[in-house]
Amino acid sequence: MCGIVGYLGNKQACDILIDALKRLEYRGYDSAGIAVWDNGAIATARQEGKVDDLRKAVSAGGFKGTLGLAHTRWATHGMPSERNAHPHTAGDVTVVHNGIIENYIEIKERLRKEGHTFLSDTDTEVIPHLVMRHVEEGRDFADAARAALRELKGSYAVGIIREKERTLVAAKKESPLIVGIGDEEYFIASDVPAILDRTKRFIFLEDNDVVILRDGLPVITDMEGNPVERAVSTITWTGAMAEKGGYKHFMLKEIFEQPRAIADTLIGRVTEEDGQLEFEDLSLPDLAKARKIWMVACGTSYHACMIGKHMIEANLRIPVETDIASEFRYRNPILEKGDVLVLISQSGETADTIAAMKEGKKRGIYTLGVCNVVGSTLARECDGVVFTHAGPEIGVASTKAFTTQISVLYMLMLYIGGKLHKMDRTRIKENIREMRTIPHKVQAILNGSGSIEEAARSFLTVKDFLYLGRGINYPAVQEGALKLKEISYIHAEAYAAGEMKHGPIALIDENLPVVVVSPNDSTYRKTCANIEEVLARRGKVLLFTDHESHEMASRVESVFTFPSTTYELQPVLSVIPLQLLAYHIANLLGTDVDQPRNLAKSVTVE
Ligand code: M6R
């Protein structure tokens, strides 16, 4: 999704802004632009393509100044092109925007009748026109900006500057925006990693906040101009955590960070000795008395929900209903008092997940966020939050967020099990002990993963993959298939293995690779039978198992083993080789692994 950065201080803005844009590249974009203010004049540049191309374009000079805005655009209204790239200007007002202005057509029509001319196909372009119009009415800049924003329906994070004054006005509604506070300098950004190397001190703006940055202290108001107080938070993530650290891609680095990420997610929350679990911000009565638990999310985080359902229903006998966030609120779900709504999101900014959270709050049920980003909308607005301590996830394809989400859900299961006396202390202690072995087991998979890269070479001309798994490994294979399709652009479908004969079996021939996760659990025999069915049709099976002597091993194309663990924790291990398979195929094909086409890291529009 679009990325916004802004700077006001005593250093040259251009390099600071372009460096910050580079760090937002992971969000996904198709064009980029910059505006730099200098003594009453604004120089702008914008173009289709990468931030590096923009850097080259501005390196010729003419971009001197200590105030500016920059933007990466992910097209929603209008094709990727120079004319649709941000910033957009009207009169002396220049704007960058993330979000969607839902009533832009009617505003455009109205302004056109008043004589305004529009140069792009974007919804954004109405914003500078509205601000300029209010400036011309005689309002001061901040007031004109607020008046313009009050006319908008939809979502936005905006940065606005004008030629006539050294001021940056920024605001947010349902799109993320933070303010970074440095030494006599201020930043705005869509996300913390953009400016982590510049400051660790941030203000997380709330919806309808407007911040006015001039030399001196920042002023924050509501949309009417009333002052509002916002706390300054200090972030512990370091800039280096958001760097590649010698890996070719962020995704590979993040796959290899999983032992640390999972260990960090457990730290301070589990004590094996007495079988206790502690969470920082949970309402115990609401959770422990839950009549029914809803788990709602998008993409990879939704797969974590499905795994949570398996764990909790099997062990606690509490019904869990899962839903894709974009479906949830439109189907009028039967939410009742005593229900708990768990919302899972790496970014904490996914628009559909936030909308689902708001639906839950509106209906008066307890909302619990499972989230990776401190200060994100989900983290701030849920009634309770449990953080995954994965560290910044930059690659668009989610990896360490997924395995830490499963780890959190596992701990929540033990926590609720203990509180409701549905699991005794001995069992909880055994489960904690097993959980503690998981980082080492993930490390063992990573250490022995060379054969996966070798195997990947055989599939570079393949057009389709089928993924099969059962039980708690069905969402794991769905996740494996999602990883492959999003970064390699190879079509991959995942099915519950028992469902294969109800349709997808028609696809099987000698050209179709079939990835099967088949652990040594109660579904082992059934999955062996499914593998037989694939082999009988000359399908090529890639088997992933924890069984030392899987009976199908000698008959399949290749076998990858992972360590054994309890049923509930299997997906944390089984998904690692699937992440690696997807990564190596995509890397060998030469796709843009960290920023796959058409995708955004943080999907902040519905
Ligand atoms: O930040 P979130 O966890 O809410 O993001 C949800 C999905 O957009 C995300 O998981 C997406 O599916 C990833 N690209 C998958 O790798």
Side-chain angles (χ1 to χ4, degrees):
M1 293 281 116
C2 303
I4 288 179
V5 290
Y7 177 77
L8 183 142
N10 45 25
K11 303 193 183 89
Q12 286 299 313
C14 188
D15 281 348
I16 292 174
L17 292 170
I18 300 259
D19 287 350
L21 274 195
K22 280 292 290 175
R23 295 197 176 86
L24 286 182
E25 280 191 307
Y26 72 90
R27 293 168 70 85
Y29 70 104
D30 46 61
S31 44
I34 187 167
V36 179
W37 182 95
D38 189 28
N39 283 321
I42 294 174
T44 60
R46 50 187 199 174
Q47 59 190 58
E48 200 182 334
K50 292 288 176 186
V51 173
D52 285 334
D53 301 326
L54 180 71
R55 194 194 290 275
K56 277 186 210 132
V58 297
S59 65
F63 287 84
K64 301 252 176 309
T66 53
L67 161 64
L69 295 169
H71 188 267
T72 46
R73 174 173 187 257
W74 186 83
T76 57
H77 297 66
M79 300 279 286
S81 63
E82 188 270 337
R83 64 194 283 272
N84 289 330
H86 300 207
H88 291 282
T89 299
D92 83 335
V93 175
T94 293
V95 169
V96 293
H97 163 231
N98 170 21
I100 289 180
I101 307 303
E102 289 167 3
N103 58 340
Y104 84 103
I105 292 177
E106 66 192 66
I107 296 175
K108 245 185 185 177
E109 283 312 307
R110 174 160 57 86
L111 292 175
R112 268 202 188 110
K113 284 186 190 138
E114 292 176 16
H116 292 250
T117 306
F118 292 90
L119 305 173
S120 76
D121 310 314
T122 66
D123 52 340
T124 301
E125 202 185 352
V126 299
I127 304 173
H129 281 267
L130 284 175
V131 178
M132 196 59 217
R133 191 168 168 278
H134 290 296
V135 165
E136 283 166 357
E137 286 166 2
R139 295 176 193 254
D140 75 32
F141 178 23
D143 201 24
R146 281 189 292 258
L149 296 172
R150 285 199 299 267
E151 293 187 55
L152 305 180
K153 292 200 180 113
S155 60
Y156 53 78
V158 284
I160 314 173
I161 55 175
R162 64 181 298 237
E163 285 181 346
K164 292 217 166 48
E165 57 190 281
R166 185 178 150 75
T167 302
L168 193 168
V169 177
K172 82 157 239 113
K173 184 181 161 238
E174 292 168 16
S175 284
L177 194 67
I178 54 160
V179 178
I181 302 177
D183 191 10
E184 293 184 13
E185 58 184 358
Y186 300 105
F187 307 84
I188 60 163
S190 301
D191 204 353
V192 166
I195 46 176
L196 253 187
D197 61 331
R198 305 270 171 193
T199 183
K200 300 276 177 291
R201 299 175 66 227
F202 296 94
I203 297 172
F204 296 100
L205 296 176
E206 306 267 338
D207 279 352
N208 299 313
D209 282 356
V210 179
V211 61
I212 300 116
L213 301 175
R214 301 190 176 100
D215 296 315
L217 288 176
V219 173
I220 306 179
T221 73
D222 63 14
M223 282 292 163
E224 306 302 324
N226 304 305
V228 292
E229 293 282 323
R230 296 284 173 242
V232 177
S233 310
T234 303
I235 290 267
T236 53
W237 291 0
T238 62
M241 284 168 94
E243 304 287 338
K244 278 191 205 150
Y247 286 90
K248 184 171 179 191
H249 295 105
F250 279 112
M251 181 182 176
L252 188 61
K253 175 185 174 236
E254 288 158 7
I255 290 172
F256 274 79
E257 279 175 346
Q258 289 178 105
R260 198 266 316 139
I262 296 167
D264 284 357
T265 300
L266 305 184
I267 282 174
R269 288 165 165 170
V270 290
T271 41
E272 185 183 319
E273 297 66 38
D274 57 4
Q276 291 297 337
L277 291 105
E278 296 292 335
F279 292 100
E280 51 274 30
D281 188 12
L282 275 189
S283 165
L284 238 171
D286 286 308
L287 252 186
K289 283 195 236 136
R291 183 198 68 104
K292 178 177 189 178
I293 297 175
W294 297 77
M295 292 195 177
V296 176
C298 302
T300 291
S301 299
Y302 176 67
H303 297 149
C305 293
M306 294 172 73
I307 289 166
K309 175 182 169 78
H310 273 274
M311 289 179 185
I312 290 176
E313 289 192 338
N315 288 284
L316 308 182
R317 310 308 294 160
I318 299 173
V320 178
E321 192 155 341
T322 61
D323 224 329
I324 293 169
S326 54
E327 292 290 318
F328 177 69
R329 75 195 162 121
Y330 296 110
R331 70 179 181 89
N332 195 10
I334 306 169
L335 301 174
E336 288 181 9
K337 205 169 162 36
D339 289 358
V340 164
L341 173 60
V342 179
L343 300 131
I344 305 182
S345 174
Q346 185 284 131
S347 61
E349 301 294 354
T350 301
D352 287 315
T353 310
I354 303 292
M357 182 243 330
K358 289 187 174 160
E359 182 69 22
K361 293 193 89 155
K362 196 168 84 191
R363 308 265 207 110
I365 64 170
Y366 180 77
T367 53
L368 172 66
V370 175
C371 184
N372 193 40
V373 180
V374 176
S376 62
T377 306
L378 192 76
R380 288 197 318 268
E381 295 189 13
C382 278
D383 299 311
V385 61
V386 180
F387 288 104
T388 48
H389 294 161
E393 191 180 68
I394 308 291
V396 162
S398 194
T399 51
K400 60 179 180 172
F402 180 63
T403 47
T404 55
Q405 286 165 350
I406 303 172
S407 306
V408 162
L409 294 174
Y410 186 76
M411 286 188 285
L412 279 175
M413 172 195 78
L414 299 179
Y415 175 80
I416 303 171
K419 295 294 171 199
L420 295 186
H421 306 291
K422 293 198 174 197
M423 293 175 95
D424 64 34
R425 276 296 142 220
T426 313
R427 198 163 143 220
I428 293 176
K429 283 186 204 175
E430 281 166 12
N431 279 280
I432 292 176
R433 192 172 314 132
E434 181 57 27
M435 179 80 235
R436 284 227 169 113
T437 68
I438 292 296
H440 307 288
K441 290 179 176 174
V442 172
Q443 190 61 57
I445 299 172
L446 295 170
N447 292 346
S449 62
S451 59
I452 298 178
E453 182 172 5
E454 272 316 301
R457 292 179 195 283
S458 319
F459 301 107
L460 304 186
T461 53
V462 163
K463 295 273 175 282
D464 301 283
F465 267 80
L466 182 63
Y467 282 64
L468 301 175
R470 281 175 179 262
I472 205 159
N473 281 296
Y474 170 43
V477 295
Q478 287 184 301
E479 175 57 13
L482 174 64
K483 287 290 86 82
L484 183 69
K485 73 184 123 192
E486 68 181 330
I487 61 169
S488 72
Y489 318 142
I490 295 174
H491 171 243
E493 268 199 77
Y495 266 85
E499 191 64 10
M500 180 181 65
K501 52 189 158 306
H502 299 285
I505 199 165
L507 297 172
I508 295 173
D509 63 15
E510 64 277 17
N511 299 316
L512 186 77
V514 183
V515 169
V516 186
V517 170
S518 168
N520 188 10
D521 61 14
S522 59
T523 63
Y524 172 69
R525 291 253 145 255
K526 300 281 175 202
T527 314
C528 285
N530 298 132
I531 295 172
E532 289 280 12
E533 288 158 5
V534 174
L535 294 177
R537 288 156 185 86
R538 297 192 312 267
K540 291 197 176 89
V541 173
L542 287 81
L543 175 63
F544 295 80
T545 181
D546 64 352
H547 200 310
E548 297 270 303
S549 41
H550 198 289
E551 66 187 55
M552 305 305 291
S554 60
R555 298 174 51 203
V556 299
E557 188 83 2
S558 44
V559 185
F560 306 93
T561 51
F562 53 83
S564 293
T565 184
T566 53
Y567 178 72
E568 290 76 12
L569 289 168
Q570 275 176 8
V572 182
L573 301 182
S574 64
V575 80
I576 308 279
L578 304 187
Q579 294 169 345
L580 285 162
L581 180 67
Y583 171 79
H584 287 302
I585 291 176
N587 181 42
L588 290 165
L589 286 173
T591 59
D592 192 347
V593 170
D594 285 333
Q595 294 155 39
R597 69 184 181 202
N598 306 337
L599 279 171
K601 179 67 182 164
S602 186
V603 183
T604 53
V605 294
E606 284 187 58

